[in-house]
Amino acid sequence: MNRREFEALSLEATKDVFAFAKFAQQSEDAFLSSTNAGALRRYQNAWLEVEIINAVALEAWEADGRPVSWDDRWREFYQASATEAVKVLRSAAVGLMAQ
């Protein structure tokens, strides 16, 4: 994934539970080829927070019967945490994108 793709994906990441799940999946290995071990470790730690929120939200969505529209629950319980996690991950990615 290049910088432009990462930025575009992260801008849409908190739109709903599905966009966030896509972001979590696609951003997991985005910078594994980096040689900056410290920056990669910071990125992986930040990504773990994204994945935790993703797992909890998806579990709740599944418990609710996998509804097509789950926007109200997403906004009420998960969107704020997801927004903060994406912000932290984007910040961690800056050091990796500069390479």
Side-chain angles (χ1 to χ4, degrees), residues 79-96:
Q79 193 173 42
S81 296
T83 299
E84 182 62 26
V86 169
K87 186 166 79 170
V88 171
L89 188 64
R90 284 181 65 160
S91 178
V94 168
L96 296 168

Side-chain angles (χ1 to χ4, degrees), residues 1-8 10 23 26-32 34 36 38-47 50 85-99:
M1 177 182 305
N2 65 37
R3 180 184 186 138
R4 185 175 299 177
E5 292 168 334
F6 180 84
E7 290 292 326
S10 69
F23 177 73
Q26 291 186 355
S27 63
E28 179 179 11
D29 299 328
F31 302 102
L32 282 183
S34 174
N36 184 334
L40 184 57
R41 189 170 35 260
R42 283 187 295 280
Y43 180 86
Q44 289 171 328
N45 288 338
W47 179 85
V50 167
V86 169
K87 186 166 79 170
V88 171
L89 188 64
R90 284 181 65 160
S91 178
V94 168
L96 296 168
M97 287 190 263
Q99 296 179 0

Side-chain angles (χ1 to χ4, degrees), residues 5-61:
E5 292 168 334
F6 180 84
E7 290 292 326
L9 192 61
S10 69
L11 289 174
E12 295 292 318
T14 63
K15 181 176 75 172
D16 58 33
V17 69
F18 309 112
F20 195 68
K22 178 181 177 181
F23 177 73
Q25 187 267 326
Q26 291 186 355
S27 63
E28 179 179 11
D29 299 328
F31 302 102
L32 282 183
S33 62
S34 174
T35 58
N36 184 334
L40 184 57
R41 189 170 35 260
R42 283 187 295 280
Y43 180 86
Q44 289 171 328
N45 288 338
W47 179 85
L48 184 58
E49 292 300 315
V50 167
E51 180 56 18
I52 290 168
I53 295 165
N54 181 50
V56 171
L58 284 175
E59 182 179 341
W61 172 73

